[in-house]
Amino acid sequence: MRLLRWVWSSTAVVAALVAVSPHTASATSVSPIQLEMTALGPKSRMQVTASNSSQAPMALEAQIQRIELDENGQQTTSKADDEFLIFPPQAMVPPGGTQVFRVEWLGGPDLAKSQTYQLALSQIPVKLKAQAGVQVVMSFGVLINVAPAKGTPQVKLVGTGIDTVGDKKATQRRPTITVENASNVHALLQDATIRLSSGSWSQTLSPGDFAQKVGMGLVQPGKRRKFTLPFDVPASVTTLQASIDYTPKRP
């Protein structure tokens, strides 16, 4: 059995690929899982460290894709190999050892607007002597935002709503907000405080709560994003008032 695991942002996306492969499960971790880079200056070059906590060597290969998100957070990907230098492109991480991958922006200093990428560090399957067992093949994703040299992200609240989530046996009413970023720099709602109210009911979502329960809240330049917030709305609430206190943090 072969298991392929993608981990990026604060959400783990797991895809299973089933195949016969004789090896014991291996383990690794990658840090950090999010890079905030700039097209110019010291932060146009960063690094990611992979740690191998297993008892067997692990071969890793680096690949990178550009990501575009729609209003609902659905991804569209495209190749971006010529926009970064990843060194080394492949590496063998010894048991209990680490490997540093250098990430350098090659897209030029005059980037017009922020771009988002996913760096995948994928384990390369190794043929071993036939024996009973399971080989676990992992791929860890690191989200990379590259911002232009100038610009400030802007977040504008453009809509609120209430969605019903869950199944027929158990449903929940959850508040939603839709925000727009009209700037040339990506915005992260993990840096915002969000307040909702309706009559005597109110809720506040702090930056720490948003990052832990929702994620980084990426809003790409010139786009809108809809977010479902992680608390219940009483049945008596039919409309919502909302405000966002957003203090952007530039890389």
Side-chain angles (χ1 to χ4, degrees):
M1 180 177 293
R2 180 182 169 196
L3 177 67
L4 177 61
R5 180 187 298 169
W6 297 92
V7 180
W8 69 282
S9 179
S10 59
T11 304
V13 183
V14 182
L17 300 179
V18 179
V20 176
S21 185
H23 190 37
T24 57
S26 56
T28 190
S29 62
V30 171
S31 179
I33 59 172
Q34 178 182 342
L35 295 179
E36 293 295 317
M37 301 181 66
T38 56
L40 181 65
K43 290 192 175 181
S44 63
R45 298 175 298 275
M46 288 190 168
Q47 63 185 35
V48 173
T49 301
S51 301
N52 179 10
S53 58
S54 73
Q55 298 180 356
M58 177 178 293
L60 294 177
E61 180 179 37
Q63 295 179 323
I64 195 159
Q65 291 183 314
R66 181 185 292 182
I67 295 176
E68 295 289 340
L69 299 177
D70 67 13
E71 185 169 324
N72 295 312
Q74 296 298 312
Q75 299 180 29
T76 301
T77 61
S78 57
K79 292 183 178 180
D81 295 334
D82 59 345
E83 297 178 55
F84 287 87
L85 172 65
I86 311 296
F87 185 83
Q90 294 182 348
M92 183 70 73
V93 188
T98 61
Q99 172 66 51
V100 173
F101 291 86
R102 293 186 301 203
V103 182
E104 182 176 351
W105 169 250
L106 297 181
D110 56 347
L111 182 67
K113 63 179 182 179
S114 290
Q115 300 290 346
T116 300
Y117 303 85
Q118 180 177 265
L119 168 65
L121 296 177
S122 304
Q123 185 182 357
I124 303 172
V126 179
K127 291 184 179 180
L128 300 173
K129 294 180 180 180
Q131 62 183 33
V134 175
Q135 184 177 28
V136 180
V137 180
M138 296 186 179
S139 182
F140 286 82
V142 178
L143 192 77
I144 303 174
N145 290 310
V146 183
K150 296 182 179 180
T152 302
Q154 301 172 9
V155 170
K156 178 183 178 182
L157 181 69
V158 295
T160 61
I162 301 173
D163 281 357
T164 300
V165 299
D167 53 31
K168 293 181 179 179
K169 294 182 180 179
T171 59
Q172 298 169 310
R173 303 174 76 240
R174 293 289 173 87
T176 67
I177 59 170
T178 302
V179 298
E180 182 178 68
N181 177 11
S183 76
N184 67 326
V185 181
H186 65 283
L188 302 174
L189 284 196
Q190 67 181 16
D191 298 326
T193 298
I194 301 169
R195 296 179 177 87
L196 298 175
S197 63
S198 179
S200 60
W201 176 86
S202 66
Q203 284 281 357
T204 298
L205 198 62
S206 69
D209 288 339
F210 192 99
Q212 182 179 10
K213 298 177 182 179
V214 182
M216 72 176 64
L218 173 64
V219 188
Q220 293 178 308
K223 293 188 176 184
R224 292 185 174 189
R225 281 289 307 276
K226 178 182 177 181
F227 296 95
T228 301
L229 304 182
F231 44 78
D232 295 339
V233 176
S236 59
V237 172
T238 57
T239 60
L240 294 172
Q241 291 78 48
S243 66
I244 296 178
D245 182 9
Y246 175 61
T247 304
K249 297 178 182 179
R250 276 299 309 256

